[in-house]
Coordinates of all heavy atoms in Angstrom, one line a residue:
V3 N 0.7 -6.2 5.7 CA 1.8 -6.4 6.6 C 2.0 -5.2 7.5 O 2.3 -5.3 8.7 CB 3.1 -6.7 5.8 CG1 4.3 -6.9 6.8 CG2 3.0 -8.0 5.0
A4 N 1.9 -4.0 6.9 CA 2.1 -2.7 7.6 C 1.1 -1.7 7.1 O 0.7 -1.8 6.0 CB 3.5 -2.2 7.5
H5 N 0.7 -0.8 8.0 CA -0.2 0.2 7.7 C 0.1 1.5 8.4 O 0.2 1.4 9.7 CB -1.7 -0.3 8.0 CG -2.7 0.7 7.7 ND1 -3.3 0.8 6.4 CD2 -3.3 1.7 8.5 CE1 -4.2 1.8 6.5 NE2 -4.3 2.3 7.7
I6 N 0.2 2.6 7.7 CA 0.5 3.9 8.3 C -0.6 4.8 7.9 O -0.8 5.1 6.7 CB 1.9 4.4 7.9 CG1 3.0 3.4 8.3 CG2 2.1 5.8 8.5 CD1 4.4 3.8 7.9
T7 N -1.3 5.4 8.9 CA -2.3 6.4 8.6 C -1.7 7.8 8.6 O -1.0 8.1 9.5 CB -3.4 6.3 9.7 OG1 -4.0 5.0 9.7 CG2 -4.5 7.3 9.3
N8 N -1.9 8.5 7.5 CA -1.2 9.8 7.4 C -2.2 10.9 7.1 O -2.0 11.8 6.3 CB -0.2 9.8 6.3 CG -0.8 9.3 4.9 OD1 -2.0 9.2 4.8 ND2 0.1 9.1 4.0
G9 N -3.4 10.9 7.8 CA -4.4 11.9 7.6 C -5.6 11.6 8.5 O -5.8 10.5 9.0
S10 N -6.5 12.7 8.6 CA -7.7 12.5 9.4 C -8.7 11.5 8.7 O -9.4 10.8 9.4 CB -8.4 13.8 9.6 OG -8.6 14.5 8.3
D11 N -8.6 11.5 7.3 CA -9.5 10.5 6.6 C -8.8 9.2 6.6 O -7.6 9.0 6.3 CB -9.7 11.0 5.2 CG -10.8 10.2 4.5 OD1 -10.7 9.0 4.3 OD2 -11.8 10.9 4.0
Q12 N -9.5 8.1 6.9 CA -9.0 6.8 6.9 C -8.5 6.3 5.5 O -7.6 5.4 5.4 CB -10.0 5.8 7.4 CG -10.4 6.0 8.9 CD -11.3 4.9 9.4 OE1 -11.7 4.0 8.7 NE2 -11.7 5.0 10.7
G13 N -8.9 7.0 4.5 CA -8.5 6.6 3.2 C -7.1 7.1 2.9 O -6.5 6.6 1.9
N14 N -6.5 8.0 3.6 CA -5.2 8.5 3.5 C -4.2 7.6 4.2 O -4.1 7.8 5.5 CB -5.0 10.0 3.9 CG -5.8 10.9 3.0 OD1 -5.9 10.8 1.8 ND2 -6.5 11.9 3.7
A15 N -3.6 6.7 3.6 CA -2.8 5.7 4.3 C -1.8 5.1 3.4 O -1.9 5.2 2.1 CB -3.7 4.6 4.8
I16 N -0.7 4.5 4.0 CA 0.3 3.8 3.3 C 0.3 2.3 3.8 O 0.2 2.1 5.0 CB 1.7 4.4 3.5 CG1 1.7 5.9 3.1 CG2 2.8 3.7 2.9 CD1 2.9 6.6 3.5
S17 N 0.3 1.4 2.8 CA 0.2 0.0 3.2 C 1.3 -0.8 2.5 O 1.8 -0.4 1.4 CB -1.2 -0.6 2.8 OG -2.2 0.1 3.3
L18 N 1.7 -1.8 3.2 CA 2.7 -2.8 2.7 C 2.0 -4.1 2.6 O 1.5 -4.7 3.6 CB 3.9 -2.9 3.6 CG 5.1 -3.8 3.0 CD1 5.6 -3.2 1.7 CD2 6.2 -3.9 4.1
L19 N 1.8 -4.7 1.3 CA 1.0 -5.8 1.1 C 1.9 -7.0 0.7 O 2.9 -6.8 0.0 CB 0.0 -5.6 0.0 CG -0.8 -4.3 0.2 CD1 -1.8 -4.1 -1.0 CD2 -1.7 -4.4 1.5
R20 N 1.5 -8.2 1.1 CA 2.2 -9.4 0.7 C 1.2 -10.5 0.3 O 0.2 -10.7 0.9 CB 3.0 -9.9 1.9 CG 3.8 -11.2 1.6 CD 4.6 -11.6 2.9 NE 3.7 -11.8 4.0 CZ 4.2 -11.9 5.3 NH1 5.5 -11.8 5.5 NH2 3.3 -12.1 6.3
G21 N 1.5 -11.2 -0.8 CA 0.7 -12.3 -1.2 C 0.8 -13.5 -0.3 O 1.8 -13.9 0.1
L22 N -0.4 -14.1 0.0 CA -0.4 -15.2 0.9 C 0.1 -16.5 0.3 O 0.8 -17.3 1.0 CB -1.9 -15.5 1.4 CG -2.5 -14.4 2.2 CD1 -4.0 -14.7 2.6 CD2 -1.7 -14.2 3.5
N23 N -0.1 -16.7 -1.0 CA 0.3 -18.0 -1.6 C 1.5 -17.8 -2.6 O 1.6 -18.6 -3.5 CB -0.9 -18.6 -2.3 CG -2.0 -18.9 -1.4 OD1 -1.8 -19.3 -0.2 ND2 -3.3 -18.7 -1.8
C24 N 2.2 -16.7 -2.4 CA 3.3 -16.4 -3.4 C 4.6 -16.9 -2.9 O 4.9 -16.8 -1.7 CB 3.4 -14.9 -3.6 SG 2.0 -14.1 -4.4
T25 N 5.4 -17.5 -3.8 CA 6.7 -18.0 -3.4 C 7.8 -17.0 -3.6 O 8.9 -17.2 -3.0 CB 7.0 -19.3 -4.2 OG1 6.9 -19.0 -5.6 CG2 6.0 -20.4 -3.9
H26 N 7.6 -16.0 -4.5 CA 8.7 -15.1 -4.7 C 8.7 -14.0 -3.6 O 7.8 -13.8 -2.9 CB 8.5 -14.4 -6.1 CG 7.2 -13.8 -6.3 ND1 6.8 -12.6 -5.8 CD2 6.1 -14.3 -6.9 CE1 5.6 -12.3 -6.1 NE2 5.1 -13.3 -6.8
N27 N 9.9 -13.4 -3.5 CA 10.1 -12.4 -2.5 C 9.7 -11.0 -3.0 O 10.6 -10.1 -3.0 CB 11.6 -12.4 -2.0 CG 12.0 -13.7 -1.4 OD1 11.2 -14.4 -0.7 ND2 13.2 -14.1 -1.7
M28 N 8.5 -10.8 -3.3 CA 8.0 -9.5 -3.8 C 6.9 -9.0 -2.9 O 6.0 -9.8 -2.5 CB 7.5 -9.5 -5.2 CG 8.6 -9.8 -6.3 SD 9.9 -8.4 -6.3 CE 8.9 -7.1 -6.9
L29 N 7.0 -7.7 -2.6 CA 5.9 -7.1 -1.8 C 5.3 -5.9 -2.7 O 5.8 -5.6 -3.7 CB 6.5 -6.5 -0.5 CG 7.2 -7.5 0.4 CD1 7.8 -6.7 1.6 CD2 6.2 -8.5 1.0
I30 N 4.2 -5.4 -2.2 CA 3.6 -4.2 -2.9 C 3.5 -3.1 -1.9 O 2.9 -3.2 -0.8 CB 2.2 -4.6 -3.4 CG1 2.3 -5.7 -4.5 CG2 1.5 -3.4 -4.0 CD1 1.0 -6.2 -5.0
L31 N 4.1 -2.0 -2.3 CA 3.9 -0.7 -1.5 C 2.8 0.1 -2.1 O 2.8 0.4 -3.3 CB 5.2 0.1 -1.6 CG 5.2 1.4 -0.8 CD1 5.1 1.2 0.7 CD2 6.5 2.2 -1.1
Q32 N 1.8 0.5 -1.3 CA 0.6 1.2 -1.8 C 0.4 2.4 -1.0 O 0.5 2.4 0.3 CB -0.6 0.3 -1.8 CG -1.9 0.9 -2.2 CD -3.1 0.0 -2.2 OE1 -3.1 -1.0 -2.9 NE2 -4.0 0.2 -1.3
E33 N 0.0 3.5 -1.6 CA -0.5 4.7 -0.9 C -1.8 5.1 -1.5 O -1.9 5.2 -2.8 CB 0.5 5.8 -1.0 CG 0.0 7.1 -0.3 CD 1.0 8.1 0.1 OE1 2.2 7.9 -0.1 OE2 0.7 9.2 0.6
S34 N -2.7 5.4 -0.7 CA -4.0 5.9 -1.1 C -4.2 7.3 -0.6 O -3.9 7.6 0.6 CB -5.2 5.0 -0.7 OG -5.1 4.8 0.7
C35 N -4.7 8.3 -1.4 CA -4.9 9.7 -1.0 C -6.3 10.1 -1.5 O -6.7 9.7 -2.6 CB -3.8 10.6 -1.6 SG -2.2 10.0 -1.7
T36 N -7.0 10.8 -0.6 CA -8.3 11.3 -1.0 C -8.6 12.6 -0.3 O -8.1 12.9 0.8 CB -9.4 10.3 -0.7 OG1 -10.6 10.7 -1.2 CG2 -9.5 10.1 0.8
D37 N -9.2 13.5 -1.1 CA -9.8 14.8 -0.5 C -11.0 15.1 -1.3 O -11.4 14.4 -2.2 CB -8.7 15.9 -0.5 CG -8.1 16.1 -1.8 OD1 -8.8 16.2 -2.8 OD2 -6.8 16.2 -1.9
A38 N -11.5 16.3 -1.1 CA -12.7 16.7 -1.8 C -12.6 16.9 -3.3 O -13.5 16.8 -4.0 CB -13.2 18.0 -1.2
S39 N -11.3 17.1 -3.8 CA -11.1 17.3 -5.2 C -10.9 16.0 -6.0 O -11.0 16.0 -7.2 CB -9.9 18.2 -5.4 OG -8.7 17.6 -4.9
G40 N -10.5 14.9 -5.3 CA -10.3 13.7 -6.0 C -9.5 12.7 -5.2 O -9.2 12.9 -4.0
S41 N -9.3 11.5 -5.7 CA -8.6 10.4 -5.0 C -7.6 9.8 -5.9 O -7.7 9.7 -7.1 CB -9.6 9.4 -4.6 OG -10.7 10.0 -3.8
V42 N -6.6 9.2 -5.3 CA -5.5 8.5 -6.0 C -5.1 7.2 -5.2 O -5.1 7.2 -4.0 CB -4.2 9.4 -6.1 CG1 -3.1 8.7 -6.7 CG2 -4.5 10.7 -6.9
V43 N -4.9 6.1 -6.0 CA -4.4 4.9 -5.4 C -3.2 4.5 -6.3 O -3.3 4.3 -7.5 CB -5.4 3.8 -5.5 CG1 -4.8 2.5 -4.9 CG2 -6.7 4.1 -4.7
V44 N -2.0 4.5 -5.6 CA -0.7 4.2 -6.3 C -0.1 3.1 -5.6 O -0.1 2.9 -4.4 CB 0.2 5.5 -6.3 CG1 1.4 5.3 -7.1 CG2 -0.6 6.7 -6.7
Y45 N 0.5 2.2 -6.5 CA 1.2 1.0 -5.9 C 2.4 0.7 -6.8 O 2.5 1.1 -8.0 CB 0.3 -0.2 -5.8 CG -0.3 -0.6 -7.1 CD1 0.4 -1.5 -8.0 CD2 -1.5 -0.1 -7.6 CE1 -0.2 -1.9 -9.2 CE2 -2.0 -0.5 -8.8 CZ -1.4 -1.4 -9.6 OH -1.9 -1.8 -10.8
S46 N 3.4 0.0 -6.2 CA 4.6 -0.4 -6.9 C 5.1 -1.7 -6.3 O 5.2 -1.8 -5.1 CB 5.6 0.7 -6.9 OG 6.8 0.3 -7.5
P47 N 5.6 -2.6 -7.1 CA 6.2 -3.8 -6.5 C 7.6 -3.4 -6.0 O 8.3 -2.5 -6.5 CB 6.4 -4.7 -7.7 CG 6.3 -3.9 -8.9 CD 5.4 -2.7 -8.6
I48 N 8.0 -4.1 -4.9 CA 9.3 -3.8 -4.3 C 9.8 -5.1 -3.7 O 9.0 -5.9 -3.1 CB 9.1 -2.7 -3.2 CG1 10.5 -2.4 -2.6 CG2 8.1 -3.1 -2.1 CD1 10.5 -1.2 -1.7
D49 N 11.1 -5.4 -3.9 CA 11.6 -6.7 -3.5 C 11.9 -6.7 -2.0 O 12.0 -5.6 -1.3 CB 12.8 -7.1 -4.3 CG 13.9 -6.1 -4.2 OD1 14.1 -5.4 -3.2 OD2 14.6 -5.9 -5.2
L50 N 12.1 -7.9 -1.4 CA 12.3 -8.0 0.0 C 13.5 -7.4 0.5 O 13.5 -6.7 1.6 CB 12.2 -9.5 0.4 CG 12.1 -9.8 1.9 CD1 10.9 -9.2 2.5 CD2 12.1 -11.3 2.1

């Protein structure tokens, strides 16, 4: 649904995800971070 790039690497971004066939009002907030030392993918459900 939304995408914010927060770094020179395309992998550093914040995304807002929504299920296509879901009836409940839940979204997923996700942030991915990466650099030469390692990478992280974090997400959490969040209501509408």
Side-chain angles (χ1 to χ4, degrees):
V3 179
H5 180 85
I6 300 175
T7 303
N8 56 10
S10 58
D11 193 301
Q12 293 184 359
N14 294 320
I16 302 171
S17 302
L18 186 62
L19 310 177
R20 178 179 59 191
L22 292 177
N23 301 321
C24 295
T25 57
H26 53 80
N27 296 325
M28 291 298 294
L29 302 172
I30 296 177
L31 180 65
Q32 174 179 298
E33 176 161 358
S34 56
C35 320
T36 186
D37 54 49
S39 64
S41 307
V42 175
V43 178
V44 187
Y45 59 90
S46 174
I48 183 170
D49 57 32
L50 191 58

